Amino acid sequence: MSRPPFSPTEARAARLRVGMSPDQVVAAMAQLGMDRPPEAVHAWESGTVAPSEIELFALADALWCPVQALMARVPSTLREHRLARQFTADRLAQRIGMDPYDYARAEAEHRWFGNDRQTLMLADALGMRVDDLLGLVERGAELVSLLHEAVEGRWKSYVAPLAELARADDRAVAQALRTLHREYSLFNERYMGHLVARSGDVRLKEIAVERARWLRDLPERFRLMAAHGG
């Protein structure tokens, strides 16, 4: 799973607001059962690495601030709403009576597979109206579909609709799509190159798996790139 959205700037600002040193932050996190060295706080605040989900939760508690403040964004996906409520995927799946694999698949594919009871319980757990929850998932599925079409075809025609869905600047979206389209094209070039060269099935399968992983992470990468100007 990719690292959660995280703002190094907001993390440092939150720490300074409560007057804590990195040593004090890790001491507070240790009391919450999360042992990390002070170097971890420096790495997070410098943007060298982002915390994992459980590290993000512990950091927010240690700094006495909402997780959403450290994410520095309004939740726009099922995963982001879950993170803002400090649920791990397994814990939320257990709470709504859903198989963890099915719930994880719903987040990854931006589709909802739950029954009526699970939908009601999910909306309650996330503090949302059912209509808003279903609308969120529907918009996520539309964004994924448009992104796939954009990287596979003429990306320029998808700038406006994707900018509207992601609530991002057109220029930032255009820059993100240009980069992502180029990356996807390289996958196809590599695959066709190995196919023409009659490379072994193992190598072709490796490229296909790598491309599938890239496509799975595409929505989150796009959102981050669009939010930060590509």
Side-chain angles (χ1 to χ4, degrees), residues 125-189:
L126 298 181
M128 301 177 68
R129 295 171 53 240
V130 171
D131 287 348
D132 292 338
L133 171 63
L134 295 178
L136 174 81
V137 176
E138 183 178 341
R139 288 192 300 275
E142 183 180 0
L143 183 139
V144 171
S145 177
L146 289 176
L147 275 177
H148 283 207
E149 293 176 14
V151 298
E152 292 171 358
R154 299 178 181 273
W155 62 266
K156 291 183 180 180
S157 61
Y158 293 90
V159 171
L162 282 168
E164 183 178 356
L165 276 174
R167 299 174 184 174
D169 179 74
D170 282 14
R171 288 172 296 180
V173 169
Q175 188 173 344
L177 290 181
R178 183 185 297 111
T179 299
L180 294 168
H181 182 272
R182 184 167 59 247
E183 289 180 8
Y184 187 76
S185 297
L186 290 175
F187 276 119
N188 290 335
E189 290 173 12

Side-chain angles (χ1 to χ4, degrees), residues 66-210:
V67 169
Q68 187 175 331
L70 299 183
M71 291 166 57
R73 67 168 68 182
V74 176
S76 60
T77 66
L78 185 56
R79 184 192 184 198
E80 289 174 3
H81 276 277
R82 170 176 63 78
L83 291 172
R85 289 280 173 163
Q86 290 193 234
F87 282 111
T88 63
D90 285 351
R91 180 171 162 237
L92 184 55
Q94 182 180 28
R95 173 163 173 161
I96 67 175
M98 191 174 196
D99 183 273
Y101 173 81
D102 289 335
Y103 178 80
R105 182 169 156 239
E107 281 195 0
E109 298 182 9
H110 299 271
R111 292 192 292 161
W112 182 237
F113 310 104
N115 56 35
D116 289 346
R117 180 174 178 276
Q118 291 166 336
T119 302
L120 287 170
M121 294 186 71
L122 178 62
D124 179 69
L126 298 181
M128 301 177 68
R129 295 171 53 240
V130 171
D131 287 348
D132 292 338
L133 171 63
L134 295 178
L136 174 81
V137 176
E138 183 178 341
R139 288 192 300 275
E142 183 180 0
L143 183 139
V144 171
S145 177
L146 289 176
L147 275 177
H148 283 207
E149 293 176 14
V151 298
E152 292 171 358
R154 299 178 181 273
W155 62 266
K156 291 183 180 180
S157 61
Y158 293 90
V159 171
L162 282 168
E164 183 178 356
L165 276 174
R167 299 174 184 174
D169 179 74
D170 282 14
R171 288 172 296 180
V173 169
Q175 188 173 344
L177 290 181
R178 183 185 297 111
T179 299
L180 294 168
H181 182 272
R182 184 167 59 247
E183 289 180 8
Y184 187 76
S185 297
L186 290 175
F187 276 119
N188 290 335
E189 290 173 12
R190 286 168 55 203
Y191 189 87
M192 291 305 298
H194 282 283
L195 193 63
V196 171
R198 297 185 179 181
S199 300
D201 289 342
V202 173
R203 183 58 186 143
L204 292 174
K205 184 176 180 180
E206 287 175 353
I207 297 174
V209 169
E210 188 179 348

Side-chain angles (χ1 to χ4, degrees), residues 47-78:
T48 305
V49 65
S52 65
E53 289 189 4
I54 57 173
E55 288 171 337
L56 177 63
F57 297 161
L59 179 62
D61 286 340
L63 296 176
W64 293 81
C65 72
V67 169
Q68 187 175 331
L70 299 183
M71 291 166 57
R73 67 168 68 182
V74 176
S76 60
T77 66
L78 185 56

